[in-house]
Structures are given as structure tokens and as C-alpha cells.
Amino acid sequence: MNILVINSGSSSLKYELFDMARREVLTSGLVERIGEPHGMLHHRWRTENGVTDHLDRKVDVADHREALSAVSEVLRGTGTFEEVRRLRAIGHRVVHGGESFQAPTLIDQSVIKTLREVSRLAPLHNPANLLGIEVCLDAFPNVPQVAVFDTAFHQSIPAHAYHYALPHQLYTEHQVRRYGFHGTSHAFVAKRAAEYLGRPLNQVNMITLHLGNGASAAAIARGRSIDTSMGMTPLEGLVMGTRCGDIDPALVFYIGQVTGKTPREIETLLNRESGLKGLCGVNDMREILRRSENNDAQASLALDVYCYRIKKYIGAYLAVLGHLDALVFTAGIGENSPLVRRRTCEGLQPLGIALDAQRNEQTTGAAREIQSKESTVPVLVVHTDEELEIAEQVRDVVAPASTP
Ligand code: ADP
């Protein structure tokens, strides 16, 4: 069974085609700078003898429709179009499902209508996701298409955790509440962590830490999300590459007063000029680690603030969960930075969390445990694969209970 996963952004279109039986990526790629000068198409595919090949090509594409045509052309050229013909379904990543979508959903006209309505909750992301859906519905009218939401996994969060202490009308009339994001990643690593522990997912409590360019923590009780650090938008919570995470909300007004910036400019400042980048000028953790090693005070401060915020969330979620079966690190930084893991877990021995220095330094793609003998809580590093999780959820919708 072949499933195509589409992640459509405002100026990019990512795609990945899975052979679900073999859990293998047949082809994948990305069109960037759609509607802008100097567009590029990066394409990877498996050749007949099982080797991965790639090509990078300049493409001038005015919109997502032209981007999809460019992808079709390259699929034909590289002999992978036959695999696309055998498509069983297409999965679309959708950032915000609001309260309307609690699970992956087969797309029809009424779903599209609801998607348009919830788009106002995520004006930066959902319209681009919808574009991808519409273009694929036209190109593959006979293939079932499924929307998979970043917010869906967190729809199990209870009311006391998702309500802001704001006038209730803002919730009833404008759906102001916490939703949480990165749901596919938290769901994926939670499943893999439970498999690693050899226990049923619905019997394990975990804290999952997705530390990529965006970052979020989730408290998972018996397999279900009961709290997460992102809120109504992905701006809340942990320190991120360019997002500030938690701040005093009054700062928005203060920043406006002292800088004369408009609300739109402040939104950009908090989303794109803050976080690690705001603190030290760069958002790439590898660069920050290098600079900090060379005694760059700003980079060291950024690292301190970053790790301290994660530690606070671990403490909070330990209190929320009561009992913890695993602490799980994932995504670019979580999987690859022993130093961030060490700094985050430092001093948590009284709470049952301690790392083994050697295990923590190991680098392997496989799921592994890095806690010391004294640690009562397993600490795991698990590679996340949001596209594969989307493909698995799509398979469960179009072919429930089938083996791949
Ligand atoms: P995205 O949210 O864009 O998918 P990723 O999960 O790829 O992000 O994570 C990107 C982050 O991971 C960057 O800050 C990058 O510097 C960091 N990263 C990648 N490899 C390493 C590494 N070996 N050590 C430290 N940080 C790393």
C-alpha cells in the first residue's frame, strides 16, 4: 500500500511517498520558494537497485498547482510515477484543527468547509495547508485524501489545562483556549517509547520533549496527552529557535510603548526575532553550542535560558502526572545534543531522573535509553518521524485493521 504525505506551507511543498508494507520511503522531496524568484525542487528517490539518488533543480513556479506539476514531471523523469499511480491514499498535514477535528479525517466538501472556518485560528499555516489539499484533490480526484492535524493528539487535554484564565466569552465566542501542536510527533514518539519499554501505550505515563526549531513538551498519561506547552498558537511554552515561548503578556503592550512597533510588528518580533535568535543572534543550536564552547557569553546565556525552561516544564509535568514511566527526548536538538540533555536533567536526581554520561554521548539513530543505574525513571532518545506517523494514521483511516 503506497501513501503520499503532503506538507504544504505558504511558500513550500514537501512530499514523501511511503510503501507501508515495507515501511520504506520510495521518494521524497521539497519545492521551495513557490511564487518567489529562484524556486528550487529537491527530489530523492530509490533506484531499482535500492540506492538513493537525488536531484536539485531550479524551478519557476507561480503557485502550488505549478509546484505539484513540477513534482509530477520529476516523478515521471525518475521512473517513480508508477508508484504514485498505485497510490492508496494521500495524507495532508494540517496545523490547526481547532475543536472540530479530534482525529485524522477523510476529506470531503463539508470537511473543507470546516477547515476554512478553523483557518482563522492559524492564519499563518492553515490556508497554505488547504491550498495543498485543493491542488491534490484536483490532481488525484479518485484517491482518498485524509487530513492529519497537529492539534488532534492534544484534544484529550482536560478543561482545567486548556482554559486560559480569561473572560469565558473569549472561549465561547472566539475559541480562545490552549490547543497544543506537534501532536503527530508526540504521538509517534510516545508509541515508539512504549514499544521500546515493552509495555502497552495505555499503561505508560511519559513526558515527551520535542526539541527542534519549534519546541514543545507534552505530559502523556496512559498514552493520552493531558497537557502540552504550546497554546492557542505555537508561540507559548519552551524557548524555541526564533519564538520566545512563555512571557509576561503585559510585555506586548510595554514593547509597543517603548519601541513604537505595531501589533503586527510585535507578533513578528515574538515569532521570528526572539527565542535563541533573540538571545544570541542565531537560532541554529549547533552554532550556539560551538560559540558557547568558545566562551561566547551571549550563546552561553541562550543555552542556559533554553535548558532552564525545559527543566521547569519537566518539574511541572512530573507534578501533573504523579508517576513517570519515561522521559523522552526527540527532534533535531533532543536527538542530537548530549549537552542539552545533560543540562536539562542536571539536578533532577531527587525526582528520580539521572543520566549516564557515556550512554548520553552515544550517537545512533535507534531508540535508546540514557539514564544511569540510580535513575528510577527511564530516559529515552527516540527519533521522530512525523511523515511516517501521518502515513500510519492515514492507513488506519482508509484501511482500518489491515496489516500494512
Ligand atoms: P525542524 O523543527 O525544522 O524540523 P529539527 O527537528 O530538524 O527542526 O531541529 C533543528 C535543530 O536541531 C537546529 O537548532 C539544529 O541546530 C539542531 N541540531 C541538529 N543536529 C544537531 C546536533 N548534532 N547537535 C545539536 N543540535 C543539532
Side-chain angles (χ1 to χ4, degrees):
M1 178 193 297
N2 290 354
I3 290 179
L4 179 65
V5 174
I6 297 283
N7 185 349
S8 173
S10 55
S11 65
S12 69
L13 185 89
K14 284 190 203 159
Y15 55 94
E16 204 154 335
L17 179 66
F18 290 91
D19 175 341
M20 297 308 286
R22 285 187 279 172
R23 281 180 129 222
E24 203 174 84
V25 177
L26 297 168
T27 175
S28 66
L30 159 73
V31 184
E32 14 176 43
R33 293 193 282 279
I34 298 173
E36 297 168 24
H38 313 300
M40 284 295 292
L41 192 159
H42 307 279
H43 181 68
R44 288 172 161 267
W45 73 100
R46 278 174 80 85
T47 60
E48 270 164 21
N49 43 18
V51 183
T52 303
D53 208 342
H54 70 99
L55 70 79
D56 304 290
R57 176 185 287 177
K58 280 192 185 147
V59 283
D60 257 332
V61 285
D63 54 25
H64 287 68
R65 207 166 295 279
E66 289 188 14
L68 193 68
S69 298
V71 173
S72 303
E73 201 176 296
V74 87
L75 288 168
R76 278 199 189 87
T78 53
T80 26
F81 201 71
E82 274 313 301
E83 303 287 1
V84 178
R85 271 195 218 285
R86 284 199 285 271
L87 259 189
R88 176 69 177 80
I90 299 177
H92 294 272
R93 176 183 181 213
V94 180
V95 169
H96 217 308
E99 289 184 334
S100 306
F101 298 103
Q102 319 215 334
T105 304
L106 197 61
I107 298 171
D108 59 18
Q109 283 312 314
S110 85
V111 167
I112 292 197
K113 186 167 168 281
T114 314
L115 276 174
R116 285 213 182 92
E117 284 159 18
V118 294
S119 273
R120 104 195 110 72
L121 296 175
L124 299 179
H125 300 102
N126 272 37
N129 303 154
L130 253 168
L131 256 177
I133 291 174
E134 284 166 348
V135 166
C136 286
L137 281 172
D138 284 350
F140 303 95
N142 300 318
V143 178
Q145 312 215 12
V146 176
V148 179
F149 301 90
D150 278 12
T151 47
F153 180 61
H154 300 301
Q155 278 294 299
S156 46
I157 290 177
H160 61 255
Y162 72 65
H163 274 292
Y164 291 114
L166 290 168
H168 196 61
Q169 259 170 319
L170 284 173
Y171 170 63
T172 51
E173 289 177 16
H174 301 288
Q175 295 80 49
V176 172
R177 54 158 281 184
R178 309 183 63 251
Y179 292 93
F181 298 86
H182 287 147
T184 45
S185 177
H186 289 292
F188 182 84
V189 297
K191 272 197 282 186
R192 294 296 178 270
E195 272 167 29
Y196 182 89
L197 296 170
R199 297 177 59 185
L201 181 60
N202 63 8
Q203 286 177 21
V204 270
N205 282 5
M206 289 180 231
I207 297 171
T208 48
L209 300 169
H210 176 106
L211 309 178
N213 241 324
S216 65
I220 298 176
R222 292 180 292 284
R224 288 160 63 84
S225 174
I226 60 160
D227 205 351
T228 190
S229 57
M230 284 177 165
M232 167 98 181
T233 77
L235 189 55
E236 192 179 339
L238 302 180
V239 175
M240 306 177 217
T242 62
R243 295 188 200 124
C244 57
D246 296 335
I247 55 165
D248 178 345
L251 278 178
V252 174
F253 317 109
Y254 184 73
I255 293 169
Q257 272 167 25
V258 294
T259 65
K261 285 184 187 292
T262 63
R264 178 59 58 86
E265 286 168 341
I266 297 173
E267 189 181 19
T268 304
L269 179 145
L270 300 179
N271 273 292
R272 297 190 190 275
E273 295 155 21
S274 299
L276 294 169
K277 186 176 176 200
L279 283 164
C280 73
V282 286
N283 61 310
D284 189 306
M285 183 53 88
R286 286 164 291 200
E287 175 70 15
I288 292 168
L289 292 169
R290 262 193 299 276
R291 288 193 190 181
S292 170
E293 231 171 82
N294 292 321
N295 303 315
D296 177 325
Q298 289 303 114
S300 299
L301 174 68
L303 200 55
D304 289 348
V305 176
Y306 184 83
C307 296
Y308 178 70
R309 181 80 53 87
I310 303 170
K311 186 184 290 194
K312 281 213 292 194
Y313 269 91
I314 295 174
Y317 287 169
L318 253 171
V320 162
L321 289 165
H323 168 83
L324 190 62
D325 297 297
L327 174 66
V328 185
F329 284 90
T330 192
I333 300 170
E335 291 170 36
N336 296 304
S337 175
L339 187 124
V340 168
R341 293 193 297 257
R342 174 166 63 73
R343 295 282 303 281
T344 300
C345 294
E346 243 161 30
L348 296 183
Q349 295 88 334
L351 301 176
I353 296 169
L355 298 190
D356 178 276
Q358 262 185 345
R359 282 169 150 185
N360 184 37
E361 291 291 332
Q362 277 168 17
T363 45
T364 123
R368 60 193 187 279
E369 50 194 308
I370 58 169
Q371 78 281 4
S372 67
K373 286 199 189 72
E374 294 73 39
S375 189
T376 53
V377 177
V379 182
L380 307 183
V381 179
V382 177
H383 172 61
T384 190
D385 191 335
E386 290 172 273
E387 281 72 25
L388 177 59
E389 172 66 19
I390 291 173
E392 288 182 353
Q393 292 193 17
V394 170
R395 178 200 58 207
D396 294 346
V397 170
V398 295
S402 80
T403 44

